[in-house]
Amino acid sequence: MPEAMVAARESNVANGTAQQVDVAVVGAGFAGLYLLHRLRKAGLTAVGLEEAGDVGGTWYWNRYPGARCDIQTIDYSYTFDPELETAWTWSEKYATQPEILRYLGFVADRYDLRRDIRFKTKVTEARWDEATARWQLTTSNGAPVSARHYIMATGCLSAPKPPEIDGVKDFKGEVYFTGRWPHDGVNLAGKRVAVIGTGSSAIQSIPLIAEQAAHLTVFQRTPNFALPAHNGPAPSDRMSLLQGDRTAYREQARQSMAGVPYPQQTVVSWQLSDAERRERFERAWAAGDLVHILTQLWADQAVDVDGNKIVQDLIREKIRAAVSDPETAAALMPDDHPFGAKRPCLETNYYATFNRPNVTLVNLRQEPIKAITAGGITTARRNIDVDVIVFATGFDAMTGAIRAVHPITGRGGKSLTDVWAQGPQSYLGLTVEGFPNFFMITGPGSPSVLSNMAVSIEQHVDWVVDRLAALRDAGFTAIEPTETAQAGWNRHMADCSMVTLHRLANTWYTGANVPGKVQGLMPYTGGVGPYRSICDEVVSRGMLGFKLTGPDGAAQCNDGEVVKLQPDVRLVLNLLASLNLPPIESMGAIGARAFVEEFNKGRPAGRPIGDIVDGTLPGPDGPLPYRVYKPSTSGPHPVVVYFHGGGWVLGDEQSDEPFCRDMVRRTGMMFVSVGYRHAPEHRFPAAAEDGYAAARWIAEHATELGGKPGPVLVAGWSAGGNIAAVTCQLARDRGGPDIAGQLLVCPVTDCTFDRPSYNDNATGYFLTRSLMYWFWDLYCSPADRTDPRVSPLRGKVAGLPPAYVVTCEFDPLRDEGIAYAEAMAAAGVPVEQLRARGHFHSSFAMVDVIITGAPGRVQMAQALRRFAGLPPEVSRDDEHSHVSPGHRIAAAAS
Ligand SMILES: Cc1cc2nc3c(=O)[nH]c(=O)nc-3n(C[C@H](O)[C@H](O)[C@H](O)COP(=O)(O)OP(=O)(O)OC[C@H]3O[C@@H](n4cnc5c(N)ncnc54)[C@H](O)[C@@H]3O)c2cc1C
């Protein structure tokens, strides 16, 4: 826009009195522009305050050579107006900075947004005025602003990080920052140039700088994974998907994990052969698309270090092939973080640039920079003379621009800097307790930088503006999250962060790039689609976690936490709910068995172990099948007699196979899973008596089965936990077998249904109260139910083997499991409990699906090993061990 027009508008508000608006929007990038558009449509007055001289945000400031987006431009666009979508055509798969800036200018013009923006105006302070329930903003230029609502659309990557090297001021040559590149360009021809940093901006600019400069020296501290962009026209397959059904395409993006419409992968790495994995990798490599390679290889690439390492190795192979000098190639290969844990980059000729004679790589791990001098850069090994230094050192990400407005003073004079002294706290990444009417777009605690930000920005803006309009319509003037809601969100953030591998990298996602910054994973790792559904749930549950206040003491507070489930449990339960399955108890026993069998076919089968051997053993009333799961290490191993779940009605000796395999790997022990008889064909006490007889027979035939003679252990899940508990009581009372310990996972222990967990979790968590009623009715008549062989809590619990009892928060059986553990402990039995927060009845059985169940299984395995007199973990030195680093990380995390 012509500078004259900007100046004219500034003077309109420069008369000293505060500019009065409903909403102050700080920033005029993707977020600020859309905010202004939506606010106007909602009938709210707004002013945009922007430090830059025009719209564009990121794309206004980052004008370095090679600057482009790295999400395909057809996806990295506004989608709120179908006419806008067809009015603009991108020229490339990854548009350049000038083109994206032109696009944002086009949007500003199309919706006449500049008239509400004060450019060259920085917000320096913000204060909530309790008396008027308004924010007072101080600006660097022109009148202050008084606004009912204060929205920071200040960007996640908009506060460049200052260089941390001594002597920058002494340098006599030219200094540039990629994040603040001069608008009229820089002539580097014939100059000796240094680029410090090898993040995204450096990787984009280095090949172009090398083409111009006499010599380019690249100073690298940490190598990043970079993949070829294969830029060109937008790929025809993506274009036809978009053009085929634009609405569906955009909707799929909104519901996806990263904001780009790709399906969820379900196949895990170890289900694929080497050739299949390579084929998938080569396809992803050729696609030149970050989201493709980050999400489409195999399901465990982002959640398991083993699954991730396969990708890393394949990428390192590519780097080795692209760079001629082996030492340079080795230095360029990332080896300190999982792929995707840091933001990977897209490159065009980046690795090949290091084959040029005028390019040198300085590995700062071997020769750190000592100082910048008048003539160049001094490392621990040498002086390098340069004419130009380009700092590509990144940003104080996510919180930098927010904290740069200082102070932001909320209710009771609280400063945001103080509230965030230990790291950012928020509710949904959008709001902060103690700061009424304060909103952040893509703030810390939202998917933001882990997503296609165009999609996240639109979702945030829509949510915020809809809330402001609803607040106004309901006659309230202020909105603020509650302490409970915020604490719950922080807990949910922490739960999510345990699922992915981001926590294993030093990255700007965690603040590790800024000296002195408190470290912690700032973006929400639970995914764009799930995040959207949570924001919607807050609204559908009556603004859950928000306090609304208005004139004359009007107030509404619906306190609570929006997500109490573990993130993957929530996903699984939502998926199950979306299938609208009939209740299992309505299928009849035969139908339910067929359903479970079918259901189990779709799950990951479990990782490779040693031998699996089937057999039969003599039960009290005929042969019983069993399946032996052996570790891959040489035996003999201690024997665990295992009883599967299924309410005494469903399942068999193979139905808990993923759990058995996982526990075999983690314990290094042999599991013998027993196929006991089922109701209604065989009612009480058939299952209990079968279980006991099987344990006795297995103990007596341990050597023959390939196990270690001596005491056995027993374990079981659900009804299997019931049989395991009963077996221990019967073994005590009937003279053996000798049992060294019992693992009871969500066991049935009693026949009353009035404990709180039966009511709290009656529906919605897969195992329902009515399903339990059905199981009980099929298995056991009311007259028999107090028999300890089905209600072990009613029996004598003294003198039992040591126990590890696992209960899940969202399980009808929770309280009876706890009651059994407490009763045993009171009777002097050594008992440990795992009360699994946020988990449901099937959490631990759904191996490789409920990732957050892994730490619990680590603890179970350690308990079994303790009972068997073994050290807690399978030895790392055991070369045959299949316990993966991923499991170790899970163990450490637990
Ligand atoms: C080089 C680069 C490439 C990127 N590529 C992609 C990509 O491909 N895909 C993707 O999803 N994301 C990408 N991003 C992230 C990008 O930041 C977002 O996609 C998006 O542009 C953010 O828009 P925004 O409006 O939230 O913030 P910004 O675009 O950062 O705009 C914030 C604005 O707020 C202004 N501001 C800040 N503080 C104040 C203040 N106190 N007073 C007044 N004004 C203030 C700033 O001047 C700035 O103009 C990239 C980022 C960079 C740096």
Side-chain angles (χ1 to χ4, degrees):
M1 118 178 280
E3 295 290 313
M5 282 175 66
V6 175
R9 203 184 32 261
E10 278 164 4
S11 68
N12 287 343
V13 290
N15 56 11
T17 56
Q19 184 179 4
Q20 302 283 333
V21 283
D22 293 327
V23 187
V25 172
V26 191
F30 255 103
L33 290 178
Y34 183 45
L35 267 168
L36 291 173
H37 173 65
R38 278 291 332 260
L39 289 165
R40 196 185 286 167
K41 281 186 76 164
L44 291 153
T45 59
V47 62
L49 301 157
E50 170 56 65
E51 183 183 356
D54 199 357
V55 299
T58 293
W59 306 103
Y60 174 92
W61 296 110
N62 289 269
R63 299 175 187 235
Y64 58 84
R68 292 174 188 275
C69 58
D70 56 14
I71 297 283
Q72 292 197 28
T73 338
I74 55 165
D75 298 308
Y76 184 59
S77 312
Y78 289 118
T79 65
F80 64 86
D81 180 353
E83 285 180 18
L84 169 64
E85 288 208 47
T86 47
W88 182 271
T89 306
W90 293 106
S91 67
E92 285 181 285
K93 179 178 169 190
Y94 298 108
T96 58
Q97 171 272 329
E99 187 173 5
I100 303 174
L101 186 60
R102 272 201 308 282
Y103 169 73
L104 291 170
F106 172 79
V107 170
D109 289 341
R110 186 178 175 93
Y111 302 100
D112 190 17
L113 301 176
R114 284 192 177 92
R115 72 176 149 95
D116 288 335
I117 306 174
R118 286 167 54 185
F119 293 108
K120 296 190 176 167
T121 304
K122 186 170 181 172
V123 174
T124 52
E125 289 178 31
R127 183 175 57 82
W128 170 250
D129 180 35
E130 208 102 44
T132 57
R134 291 179 76 82
W135 280 94
Q136 309 299 333
L137 270 54
T138 310
T139 64
S140 64
N141 181 13
V145 173
S146 166
R148 173 74 69 212
H149 303 282
Y150 167 35
I151 308 182
M152 296 197 84
T154 43
C156 293
L157 301 172
S158 57
K161 190 175 76 93
E164 311 142 23
I165 307 164
D166 288 343
V168 180
K169 287 201 181 72
D170 303 334
F171 182 61
K172 296 278 184 272
E174 303 160 53
V175 173
Y176 301 103
F177 294 83
T178 50
R180 289 287 182 272
W181 200 258
H183 288 197
D184 27 12
V186 178
N187 182 8
L188 298 171
K191 294 182 181 159
R192 296 164 302 170
V193 181
V195 171
I196 300 183
T198 49
S200 197
S201 305
I203 284 173
Q204 287 185 334
S205 59
I206 280 168
L208 297 173
I209 294 175
E211 280 175 15
Q212 292 179 43
H215 195 90
L216 169 64
T217 311
V218 176
F219 293 82
Q220 172 192 271
R221 188 163 58 187
T222 319
N224 255 318
F225 288 103
L227 322 153
H230 299 307
N231 200 16
S236 54
D237 56 338
R238 305 300 300 168
M239 280 307 283
S240 42
L241 279 176
L242 174 68
Q243 286 163 348
D245 187 344
R246 193 174 286 270
T247 311
Y249 183 93
R250 295 301 188 206
E251 191 49 30
Q252 201 191 337
R254 292 181 190 119
Q255 302 305 334
S256 68
M257 293 304 274
V260 178
Y262 279 111
Q264 281 278 98
Q265 269 305 313
T266 49
V267 178
V268 286
S269 58
W270 41 267
Q271 290 175 307
L272 300 165
S273 66
D274 279 352
E276 286 168 328
R277 286 196 293 257
R278 182 167 288 277
E279 196 272 322
R280 283 178 177 228
F281 174 76
E282 292 296 346
R283 207 170 343 121
W285 195 258
D289 183 317
L290 275 183
V291 182
H292 183 130
I293 200 164
L294 283 166
T295 63
Q296 299 301 296
L297 294 177
W298 33 87
D300 53 333
Q301 71 181 89
V303 297
D304 180 271
V305 287
D306 291 345
N308 188 278
K309 185 166 178 305
I310 303 168
V311 196
Q312 293 174 40
D313 289 344
L314 289 165
I315 299 177
R316 284 191 280 262
E317 210 178 288
K318 293 282 187 191
I319 299 172
R320 201 175 294 118
V323 181
S324 320
D325 173 43
E327 202 184 323
T328 307
L332 288 167
M333 285 181 214
D335 60 1
D336 67 344
H337 63 275
F339 172 64
K342 278 182 165 193
R343 170 102 182 181
C345 309
L346 280 187
E347 57 93 16
T348 303
N349 296 329
Y350 175 66
Y351 292 115
T353 295
F354 291 93
N355 297 334
R356 292 175 67 106
N358 71 331
V359 176
T360 311
L361 180 71
V362 174
N363 185 348
L364 296 179
R365 284 180 175 169
Q366 290 171 357
E367 45 175 321
I369 294 178
K370 291 281 183 210
I372 293 179
T373 61
I377 297 173
T378 305
T379 71
R381 289 189 187 163
R382 51 188 151 158
N383 293 322
I384 299 162
D385 292 335
V386 293
D387 307 307
V388 179
I389 302 178
V390 174
F391 285 99
T393 40
F395 300 91
D396 180 355
M398 305 213 60
T399 52
I402 297 172
R403 292 175 65 142
V405 177
H406 185 71
I408 298 174
T409 312
R411 215 164 20 79
K414 274 198 280 188
S415 141
L416 189 70
T417 310
D418 292 342
V419 171
W420 283 8
Q422 297 310 315
Q425 312 286 313
S426 78
Y427 183 36
L428 306 171
L430 289 162
T431 58
V432 183
E433 193 262 332
F435 295 79
N437 294 1
F438 170 72
F439 298 91
M440 301 168 292
I441 304 300
T442 63
S446 77
S448 55
V449 291
L450 293 180
S451 67
N452 169 4
M453 293 198 56
V455 169
S456 287
I457 285 169
E458 283 192 337
Q459 186 257 334
H460 277 190
V461 169
D462 288 338
W463 194 91
V464 171
V465 177
D466 289 346
R467 301 292 65 73
L468 298 192
L471 195 76
R472 174 197 58 195
D473 297 347
F476 292 112
T477 47
I479 174 170
E480 182 190 338
T482 67
E483 223 177 303
T484 312
Q486 183 161 297
W489 188 251
N490 289 335
R491 205 174 301 118
H492 176 57
M493 287 272 296
D495 288 344
C496 290
S497 74
M498 294 313 295
V499 179
T500 68
L501 303 176
H502 293 99
R503 67 189 186 286
L504 303 180
N506 285 332
T507 142
W508 54 263
Y509 294 154
T510 61
N513 65 326
V514 179
K517 190 164 174 172
V518 175
Q519 291 198 32
L521 192 58
M522 292 182 286
Y524 176 76
T525 53
V528 167
Y531 174 83
R532 173 182 295 266
S533 78
I534 292 168
C535 291
D536 292 346
E537 190 180 329
V538 165
V539 179
S540 68
R541 291 171 70 185
M543 291 307 287
L544 183 63
F546 280 104
K547 191 165 66 185
L548 315 181
T549 50
D552 306 323
Q556 170 196 311
C557 180
N558 183 10
D559 203 2
E561 289 171 53
V562 63
V563 186
K564 287 184 169 177
L565 292 168
Q566 290 294 329
D568 41 7
V569 171
R570 183 175 179 276
L571 286 182
V572 165
L573 288 173
N574 283 350
L575 179 74
L576 289 170
S578 73
L579 298 176
N580 270 325
L581 299 169
I584 292 176
E585 60 272 29
S586 70
M587 299 176 184
I590 307 291
R593 284 174 196 154
F595 167 79
V596 169
E597 204 173 307
E598 207 48 42
F599 187 80
N600 284 349
K601 280 185 195 156
R603 67 186 174 174
R607 296 182 194 214
I609 54 170
D611 284 348
I612 295 181
V613 182
D614 290 331
T616 51
L617 57 85
D621 197 21
L624 300 174
Y626 66 80
R627 175 165 275 201
V628 181
Y629 299 94
K630 291 185 183 171
S632 56
T633 50
S634 49
H637 307 97
V639 177
V640 180
V641 181
Y642 179 77
F643 302 107
H644 66 83
W648 307 287
V649 176
L650 312 172
D652 55 34
E653 71 283 3
Q654 303 176 26
S655 57
D656 288 354
E657 178 137 341
F659 181 78
C660 290
R661 285 174 180 248
D662 191 71
M663 292 303 288
V664 166
R665 290 165 62 95
R666 290 178 194 280
T667 57
M669 297 182 185
M670 190 175 109
F671 270 54
V672 186
S673 175
V674 177
Y676 54 87
R677 283 172 296 163
H678 289 149
E681 296 85 348
H682 306 282
R683 286 167 60 83
F684 173 81
E689 292 297 343
D690 284 1
Y692 170 68
R696 181 160 211 140
W697 185 89
I698 292 164
E700 284 163 2
H701 297 80
T703 312
E704 200 178 304
L705 291 167
K708 197 170 159 186
V712 292
L713 300 107
V714 297
W717 166 57
S718 192
N722 171 269
I723 296 170
V726 170
T727 296
C728 290
Q729 293 194 7
L730 295 178
R732 176 201 56 199
D733 300 340
R734 295 181 184 174
D738 198 1
I739 298 176
Q742 48 179 328
L743 167 65
L744 311 179
V745 185
C746 306
V748 182
T749 71
D750 197 17
C751 56
T752 53
F753 309 116
D754 54 4
R755 291 188 174 85
S757 58
Y758 251 95
N759 291 323
D760 298 348
N761 310 308
T763 58
Y765 303 105
F766 202 59
L767 178 66
T768 61
R769 181 169 55 190
S770 74
L771 181 57
M772 277 310 299
Y773 288 165
W774 184 67
F775 285 145
W776 271 100
D777 288 344
L778 290 190
Y779 180 52
C780 191
S781 61
D784 291 330
R785 289 186 185 179
T786 53
D787 189 311
R789 284 175 300 166
V790 68
S791 291
L793 187 57
R794 310 269 165 157
K796 182 182 146 203
V797 292
L800 291 173
Y804 194 83
V805 181
V806 180
T807 52
C808 290
E809 186 179 2
F810 296 98
D811 181 359
L813 305 183
R814 179 194 68 206
D815 292 344
E816 65 195 72
I818 292 172
Y820 193 61
E822 286 175 351
M824 284 192 290
V829 176
V831 178
E832 293 167 75
Q833 285 193 58
L834 169 62
R835 297 185 186 185
R837 182 178 57 77
H839 282 286
F840 79 132
H841 187 71
S842 303
S843 278
F844 296 109
M846 296 185 88
V847 177
D848 290 311
V849 175
I850 303 292
I851 309 293
T852 52
R857 286 193 303 276
V858 169
Q859 292 181 43
M860 295 177 211
Q862 289 175 346
L864 286 176
R865 287 180 64 83
R866 264 196 308 281
F867 296 154
L870 300 170
E873 280 191 41
V874 178
S875 166
R876 185 102 185 117
D877 303 331
D878 183 345
E879 58 181 335
H880 302 295
S881 165
H882 276 278
V883 175
S884 71
H887 298 147
R888 262 151 225 292
I889 284 158
S894 72

